[in-house]
């Protein structure tokens, strides 16, 4: 997992954001003040920094300038409610790499973070996932088996990626619904999820009637087993 540092003084937002980021393969360390942040940054290395701007003991802009003056090249993304053009210019000219305003979409935030990692040449999230004879090309949103591309819908692809990323773990139906719901109408209810699981099995399993990879855990949910 990619180590990410989150500086956010809104405790409820920080907790929710850390949970969501960890679901997207980021290992999150949190702080609510500049003083706490300086101590934690001195004691460890991070691949990314996500900084709020308005803080109880100063500004994220100031911390960014400190880090750049000290020679740090770690990618920095500002995440703040300050959406005035002057604030954006100040953040980017002060050494920040990207700037997002609240409210924001989690998917866009994760995409921007991965883009920062790629540009920095750091330990970005893997570009491919290989499991159960499948090769998932993440940038291309394409799944192949034995060199043949599988025709998956967007919902089936998201479900497959979620299960493969958590291979060996049983994901509850509710956790899957919560993770994949994006407001587009997909996964409206429990029955819809069952339909997508059946369709996905028909495409990724050699024998959908006796699945070896996409397994049902009765009374709980589903589990992906890469090696059966």
């Amino acid at each position: 997992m990619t180590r990410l540092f989150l500086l956010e003084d809104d405790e409820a937002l920080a907790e929710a954001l850390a949970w969501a980021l960890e679901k997207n393969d980021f290992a999150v360390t949190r702080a609510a003040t500049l003083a706490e942040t300086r101590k934690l940054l001195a004691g460890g290395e991070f691949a990314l920094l996500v900084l709020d701007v308005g803080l109880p003991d100063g500004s994220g802009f100031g911390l960014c300038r400190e880090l750049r003056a000290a020679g740090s090249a770690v990618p920095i993304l500002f995440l703040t409610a300050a959406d005035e053009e002057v604030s954006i210019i100040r953040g980017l000219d002060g050494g920040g790499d990207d700037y997002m305003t609240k409210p924001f979409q989690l998917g866009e935030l994760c995409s921007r973070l991965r883009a920062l990692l790629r540009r920095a040449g750091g330990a970005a999230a893997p570009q491919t996932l290989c499991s159960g004879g499948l090769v998932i090309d993440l940038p291309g949103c394409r799944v192949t088996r034995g060199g043949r591309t599988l025709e998956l819908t967007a919902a089936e692809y998201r479900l497959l990626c979620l299960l493969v990323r958590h291979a060996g773990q049983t994901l509850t139906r509710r956790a899957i619904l919560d993770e994949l719901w994006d407001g587009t109408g997909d996964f409206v209810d429990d029955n819809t999820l069952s339909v997508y699981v059946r369709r996905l099995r028909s495409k990724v399993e050699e024998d959908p009637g006796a699945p070896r990879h996409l397994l049902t855990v009765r009374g709980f949910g589903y589990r992906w087993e890469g090696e059966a």
Side-chain angles (χ1 to χ4, degrees):
M1 298 179 75
T2 301
R3 295 194 66 198
L4 179 148
F5 190 91
L6 173 63
L7 172 56
E8 171 58 63
D9 66 336
D10 183 326
E11 184 176 354
L13 175 59
E15 184 173 346
L17 188 53
W19 180 87
L21 287 169
E22 286 170 353
K23 291 289 185 180
N24 282 270
D25 295 328
F26 293 98
V28 180
T29 298
R30 288 193 286 142
T33 66
L34 289 176
E36 184 182 7
T37 296
R38 291 186 179 100
K39 292 180 182 178
L40 292 170
L41 292 182
E45 294 185 0
F46 297 90
L48 286 166
L49 305 183
V50 177
L51 307 180
D52 194 1
V53 173
L55 298 159
D57 55 347
S59 167
F61 292 149
L63 175 63
C64 178
R65 289 194 298 271
E66 288 178 27
L67 294 170
R68 296 303 185 230
S72 173
V74 61
I76 294 175
L77 181 145
F78 290 110
L79 189 62
T80 173
D83 59 356
E84 300 85 358
E85 183 179 359
V86 64
S87 294
I88 299 173
I89 293 172
R90 184 182 175 191
L92 298 178
D93 284 353
D97 298 281
D98 202 351
Y99 193 109
M100 286 188 69
T101 57
K102 305 171 185 175
F104 56 91
Q105 295 293 325
L106 177 64
E108 181 184 357
L109 173 61
C110 291
S111 292
R112 291 197 185 196
L113 292 174
R114 286 190 286 266
L116 288 178
L117 284 168
R118 289 194 297 271
R119 290 200 293 271
Q127 298 297 293
T128 60
L129 298 174
C130 300
S131 185
L134 303 179
V135 178
I136 304 175
D137 172 10
L138 296 174
C141 297
R142 189 167 64 105
V143 181
T144 58
R145 181 174 60 193
R148 182 177 63 87
T149 299
L150 303 184
E151 297 298 329
L152 304 181
T153 66
E156 291 165 355
Y157 175 80
R158 293 198 307 272
L159 175 58
L160 177 63
C161 286
L162 176 64
L163 291 167
V164 171
R165 287 183 188 277
H166 295 84
Q169 302 177 33
T170 297
L171 301 181
T172 67
R173 297 177 68 89
R174 174 47 51 192
I176 294 172
L177 289 166
D178 289 345
E179 185 73 19
L180 297 183
W181 169 256
D182 63 3
T184 65
D186 291 328
F187 299 109
V188 174
D189 56 31
D190 215 39
N191 291 332
T192 307
L193 176 58
S194 297
V195 170
Y196 277 107
V197 169
R198 287 198 298 271
R199 289 180 178 176
L200 185 57
R201 273 202 185 112
S202 72
K203 298 177 181 181
V204 303
E205 296 281 2
E206 292 184 6
D207 180 1
R212 301 171 61 236
H213 303 293
L214 207 174
L215 307 179
T216 298
V217 181
R218 299 292 180 188
F220 290 94
Y222 301 99
R223 183 177 72 250
W224 179 268
E225 289 293 347
E227 302 300 329

